[in-house]
Amino acid sequence: MRNGKVAAECLQFPCSFPLKVMGLNTEAFEHAVRDIVGRHLPGERVEFADRQSGGGKYLSITATFTAASREQLDALYRDLNGHQLVVMTL
């Protein structure tokens, strides 16, 4: 989460923000990420893109959205990093 806080200090809000989340390549992981992002950005337009690792074991999901504040990003990073299926966020 420290990296998210450092990045957020350099941003001028509102701004377009790409958030990358990595975990095992499972439907449960993908659903969890979309659910958490959706709870923090209700009614907002979020573009999701995903990419499998070379061996297919891991999945990275990039959610790009308009971030409103540092507090919003901190809460989103906190919830994502607290989920058992999330390995890393950038």
Side-chain angles (χ1 to χ4, degrees):
M1 188 160 70
R2 184 170 185 266
N3 288 341
K5 286 186 178 182
V6 170
E9 290 172 359
C10 299
L11 300 173
Q12 292 183 346
F13 296 97
C15 64
S16 178
F17 192 84
L19 172 68
K20 185 176 280 194
V21 188
M22 289 162 270
L24 291 176
N25 186 8
T26 65
E27 286 184 33
F29 167 69
E30 187 172 359
H31 179 72
V33 170
R34 289 176 179 267
D35 182 56
I36 292 169
V37 170
R39 282 187 306 205
H40 284 269
L41 301 163
E44 295 292 324
R45 181 180 171 189
V46 180
E47 293 182 26
F48 289 97
D50 58 81
R51 183 175 176 186
Q52 291 183 18
S53 63
K57 182 176 180 179
Y58 295 98
L59 181 68
S60 70
I61 300 172
T62 302
T64 303
F65 56 93
T66 300
S69 68
R70 174 184 170 169
E71 294 77 19
Q72 179 190 44
L73 289 178
D74 286 347
L76 185 51
Y77 272 98
R78 196 171 29 254
D79 282 356
L80 286 165
N81 286 320
H83 196 282
Q84 64 187 11
L85 296 176
V86 173
V87 173
M88 181 187 318
T89 58
L90 299 173

